[in-house]
Amino acid sequence: MEQHRPSSWGVLLIVSLAVFILVIDTTTMEVSISALVHDLDTNASTIQTIITIYTLVKAAFMLIGAKLQDFIGRKKAFLIGAAMYGIGVFTAATSQNAAMFLVGWSILEGIGTVLMLPATVTFITGTYEGKERAFAFGVWGGIAAAASIFGLIFGGYLTTNHSWRWVFALELVILLIIFALHRVLKETRPTESWKSFDRGGAVLSVLGLMALVFGILMVKEPSEWVIVPFLILGGIILLFGFYFWERRQIRNAKGVLVDVTILPERSFLAGNVVAIGQKFVSAGFIFIFPLFYEMVTGASAYETGIALLPMTLGVVVFSILGARLSSSVEPKYVLLLGIALAGAGLAALRDVFSLTTTAHDIFPGSLLFGIGLGLVLSQLTNLTLSSIRSERQTDASGIYNTTRQLGSSLGTALIGIVLALGFVRGLPSGQPSPYLPGQPLLSIGISDAAINQGMEWAFVAMILVVIGMFLAGLFIRKTGKIV
């Protein structure tokens, strides 16, 4: 391993650029629904379906995308994914109707993502060691979290003042930079042949993850609740079947999609639980805060993103500082401190929301939450993946990124439901919700009690998840100061 080559940090640059476009792409589209409906001559339900399909593709095929590194090599898998993603971006940018946008964004970009994202993790584990690896993973996590808020700001600005299509133009420029720098990426030789590809495991994992994630996403639709238990239970049963199928494959010395024997490793399992919680809380916060701010004040997505700038800065700065801190402090303690600070930030925000809330009111709590989140991200990925031996890093990265996708889906679905239930609970008895899309709640006489109750319930739910993260973090083994 040549850690000190001048080009070695070029790997981190490519990885960071890749993660950046993968995250802002999703956030930007979520704040551009109205513009997409108008420009593609469709309706909001169709656009929501396209977003759901994109989420399903990423979650269902992430394990396969990671495994392909073993069959064709890490660099080749990444570059094929980047090329496919680029074709998808161009198709989406030039879409004239919803069908064309579905193919470009949901399918081609989705498949490109499952090839690129796991490789960004294994590029880091394969290139860096010690404090350099801790620093690289801190940057990786910080960029991913900050990009979601940058998507609100940048995407909101372009959608409001220009066009959502310009977001894809930015992504194409970044992809060209990635291809221009690709020579700094070191190729790895395939370690398995196509004959050993685990088709049975692939089918079980895809069907199980698709059913589970679709069921989770449908929680947001009360009219579909009748099928939700069947989807979620069916997904869980299929995933259990996948687990035992993989164990059988291992016993028979046959090829596997994922080496599931790494799952019981204490630090890896605990780290994945913390990762689910972190994505749950992050996605939940990014979902409900813009919803509140735009509904109450009529603020644009761009203005909402500006209100979250302190949180963004906290995430970016402390994800980098936290990685440096691990050379003088036990990384596990930095992680636990970050979880505690994130919980404290959520607790500070729990009771500040009302019809008269301003950006100044949420500044202290959101900054503290961002600082805590940054510290968590500075340690979590490294602590989780470093517990797995190097030859199983593709399996570990596939599982890790899949659990993160599950956490994100859970956060947006469940926190949205908790918010709605609290909101209804806070309404005066017998009063229906008079909210009309696009109309600020401030202008239609909604009571402070309803707003405060809904947001308080949502934040209490996120605080409970953070407590669970802290308990899971206690089971992560100490690694000693990173040198």
Side-chain angles (χ1 to χ4, degrees), residues 21-27 29-30 47-62 85 89 101-114 168 171 213 217 405:
I21 61 173
L22 295 178
V23 176
I24 67 161
D25 183 86
T26 303
T27 310
M29 291 305 101
E30 288 176 347
I47 298 300
Q48 290 287 3
T49 299
I50 290 172
I51 292 174
T52 298
I53 292 172
Y54 180 58
T55 303
L56 290 174
V57 170
K58 290 192 297 181
F61 292 93
M62 191 68 73
Y85 189 88
V89 166
F101 190 73
L102 169 67
V103 171
W105 193 66
S106 299
I107 308 301
L108 294 177
E109 283 194 38
I111 294 173
T113 298
V114 301
F168 293 116
E171 292 185 51
V213 174
L217 294 175
Q405 289 292 329

Side-chain angles (χ1 to χ4, degrees), residues 435-458:
Y435 175 64
L436 299 174
Q439 187 175 15
L441 291 179
L442 188 60
S443 68
I444 58 178
I446 291 294
S447 68
D448 260 354
I451 295 295
N452 187 265
Q453 183 81 81
M455 294 299 284
E456 183 177 3
W457 279 28

Side-chain angles (χ1 to χ4, degrees), residues 72-260:
I72 62 177
R74 181 186 305 150
K75 180 177 179 179
K76 187 176 291 185
F78 177 79
L79 292 178
I80 290 174
M84 188 168 291
Y85 189 88
I87 295 170
V89 166
F90 181 80
T91 304
T94 57
S95 294
Q96 301 302 307
N97 52 56
M100 189 175 176
F101 190 73
L102 169 67
V103 171
W105 193 66
S106 299
I107 308 301
L108 294 177
E109 283 194 38
I111 294 173
T113 298
V114 301
L115 289 170
M116 294 173 70
L117 190 57
T120 63
V121 173
T122 52
F123 275 131
I124 292 176
T125 57
T127 305
Y128 309 109
E129 286 184 344
K131 61 183 181 181
E132 282 84 9
R133 180 186 289 184
F135 174 77
F137 273 130
V139 172
W140 182 88
I143 294 249
S148 63
I149 302 174
F150 182 80
L152 288 177
I153 301 172
F154 187 70
Y157 173 79
L158 288 180
T159 300
T160 302
N161 298 290
H162 300 285
S163 170
W164 51 269
R165 300 180 192 272
W166 284 103
V167 177
F168 293 116
L170 170 67
E171 292 185 51
L172 283 174
V173 171
I174 293 176
L175 281 168
L176 289 175
I177 294 173
I178 289 173
F179 279 108
L181 298 174
H182 80 275
R183 286 185 176 82
V184 306
L185 299 174
K186 185 178 180 181
E187 183 60 279
T188 57
R189 293 187 178 186
T191 58
E192 298 186 29
S193 68
W194 284 106
K195 291 181 180 179
S196 65
F197 182 71
D198 181 14
R199 295 177 181 83
V203 171
L204 285 170
S205 69
V206 168
L207 293 178
L209 287 167
M210 190 169 290
L212 179 60
V213 174
F214 189 54
I216 291 169
L217 294 175
M218 287 299 99
V219 169
K220 293 185 290 185
E221 304 292 337
S223 61
E224 305 294 338
W225 281 1
V226 66
I227 66 169
V228 166
F230 297 101
L231 287 169
I232 293 178
L233 181 60
I236 291 173
I237 291 172
L238 285 168
L239 290 176
F240 267 110
F242 167 69
Y243 175 81
F244 289 112
W245 171 273
E246 296 299 276
R247 293 295 297 257
R248 176 177 173 273
Q249 292 288 96
I250 292 171
R251 286 196 304 271
N252 296 333
K254 295 182 178 180
V256 295
L257 184 68
V258 175
D259 183 357
V260 294

Side-chain angles (χ1 to χ4, degrees), residues 390-467:
S390 60
E391 63 268 24
R392 288 302 177 202
Q393 283 297 316
T394 54
D395 297 317
S397 69
I399 293 172
Y400 184 69
N401 281 296
T402 299
T403 57
R404 282 166 55 86
Q405 289 292 329
L406 287 174
S408 182
S409 298
L410 281 167
T412 54
L414 298 185
I415 293 300
I417 287 295
V418 172
L419 174 67
L421 291 174
F423 178 76
V424 172
R425 182 75 173 81
L427 287 171
S429 179
Q431 179 183 336
S433 171
Y435 175 64
L436 299 174
Q439 187 175 15
L441 291 179
L442 188 60
S443 68
I444 58 178
I446 291 294
S447 68
D448 260 354
I451 295 295
N452 187 265
Q453 183 81 81
M455 294 299 284
E456 183 177 3
W457 279 28
F459 274 86
V460 167
M462 289 190 286
I463 291 168
L464 291 175
V465 171
V466 169
I467 292 172

Side-chain angles (χ1 to χ4, degrees), residues 277 281 339-340 342-344 346 369 461-471:
V281 171
I339 295 173
L346 292 174
F369 177 62
M462 289 190 286
I463 291 168
L464 291 175
V465 171
V466 169
I467 292 172
M469 290 170 58
F470 191 89
L471 294 175

